[in-house]
Amino acid sequence: GAVVSQHPSRVICKSGTSVKIECRSLDFQATTMFWYRQFPKQSLMLMATSNEGSKATYEQGVEKDKFLINHASLTLSTLTVTSAHPEDSSFYICSANDQGLAVQETQYFGPGTRLLVL
Amino acid sequence: GNSVTQMEGPVTLSEEAFLTINCTYTATGYPSLFWYVQYPGEGLQLLLKATKADDKGSNKGFEATYRKETTSFHLEKGSVQVSDSAVYFCAPAGGFKTIFGAGTRLFVKA
């Protein structure tokens, strides 16, 4: 149980285009979903926290107009990288909390999306 | 604010060696403590967790004990395998926010 999927797993795009990444909880309802960015050989950097039906909370330094997050249902959150540039190339990982669990801080991670902007 | 410090890697061990990866944290209150593992090219997976002082989390031969007095949550395994090669993240969590350590890369040689 507690499986999170991400799509696509890998995407290459041209500079200036927008890219949408989907994060789905497959067998549970996710109260909260998180979006992280991971640079090579580094830890995860939390970008934003999204709750179903409300606006995402962005971490300091993350541009909310550039990284649009939508959490329309308890099983789906999307991250759109708008007007992507080469410096946006990274590994993006989402995670979700299972609201049915007693230890609600347990996070279940998607497999990640590798974005390369040319 | 909350923070976490974990042992720098990479750690290179021979198969069947004993593993310890140190992790200490600072936090207000009593966070839940997690170890996550990331295999090459993949996302993170929950390895084990502990939610209160003196709890021991265990999974796949790995263990970690929640030590409130030393604010530590060291990861141990008695006999590592090549398949344990991965990056390990210590992660205290409180209030639905998780802080990740820098990660410790483990290489296990056959």
Side-chain angles (χ1 to χ4, degrees), chain B:
Chain B
N2 298 348
S3 66
V4 57
T5 302
Q6 66 178 98
M7 186 170 149
E8 274 190 40
V11 174
T12 302
L13 296 173
S14 297
E15 213 165 18
E16 299 184 3
F18 184 85
L19 169 71
T20 300
I21 300 178
N22 290 338
C23 171
T24 56
Y25 64 91
T26 59
T28 52
Y30 302 104
S32 297
L33 301 175
F34 298 80
W35 277 99
Y36 290 92
V37 58
Q38 185 177 31
Y39 297 100
E42 299 182 13
L44 276 68
Q45 300 174 25
L46 175 66
L47 180 60
L48 53 83
K49 65 188 179 192
T51 58
K52 60 183 189 294
D54 300 324
D55 263 5
K56 178 186 281 188
S58 61
N59 185 27
K60 299 180 181 180
F62 290 89
E63 292 183 341
T65 301
Y66 192 140
R67 300 287 187 201
K68 189 178 73 172
E69 62 278 7
T70 55
T71 60
S72 64
F73 193 53
H74 304 323
L75 182 69
E76 297 181 336
K77 185 173 185 181
S79 177
V80 293
Q81 306 300 312
V82 173
S83 57
D84 294 327
S85 298
V87 181
Y88 293 82
F89 293 93
C90 181
F96 299 94
K97 201 163 186 176
T98 301
I99 299 172
F100 289 88
T104 302
R105 187 173 295 273
L106 171 66
F107 292 105
V108 181
K109 302 180 297 184

Side-chain angles (χ1 to χ4, degrees), chain A residues 34 36 38 41-44 46 59 91 93 97 101 103-112 114, chain B residues 32 34 36 38 41-46 49 51 89 93-98 100-103 105:
Chain A
F34 302 87
Y36 296 87
Q38 186 180 31
K41 298 186 179 181
Q42 294 189 27
S43 188
L44 279 69
L46 178 65
E59 295 299 301
F91 194 49
I93 304 175
N97 287 116
L101 285 183
V103 181
Q104 293 179 341
E105 298 102 333
T106 301
Q107 292 187 41
Y108 296 94
F109 287 84
R114 190 162 300 282
Chain B
S32 297
F34 298 80
Y36 290 92
Q38 185 177 31
E42 299 182 13
L44 276 68
Q45 300 174 25
L46 175 66
K49 65 188 179 192
T51 58
F89 293 93
F96 299 94
K97 201 163 186 176
T98 301
F100 289 88
R105 187 173 295 273

Side-chain angles (χ1 to χ4, degrees), chain A residues 17-48:
Chain A
T17 60
S18 294
V19 175
K20 180 185 281 189
I21 302 170
E22 291 187 349
C23 176
R24 293 181 185 272
S25 57
L26 298 185
D27 50 2
F28 66 99
Q29 292 185 322
T31 322
T32 306
M33 287 185 168
F34 302 87
W35 286 96
Y36 296 87
R37 186 172 177 176
Q38 186 180 31
F39 292 100
K41 298 186 179 181
Q42 294 189 27
S43 188
L44 279 69
M45 181 192 80
L46 178 65
M47 299 174 67

Side-chain angles (χ1 to χ4, degrees), chain A residues 73-109:
Chain A
S73 75
L74 282 171
T75 59
L76 174 64
S77 176
T78 60
L79 167 68
T80 301
V81 183
T82 62
S83 186
H85 291 286
E87 58 266 29
D88 299 324
S89 299
S90 192
F91 194 49
Y92 293 87
I93 304 175
C94 74
S95 71
N97 287 116
D98 182 345
Q99 66 178 1
L101 285 183
V103 181
Q104 293 179 341
E105 298 102 333
T106 301
Q107 292 187 41
Y108 296 94
F109 287 84

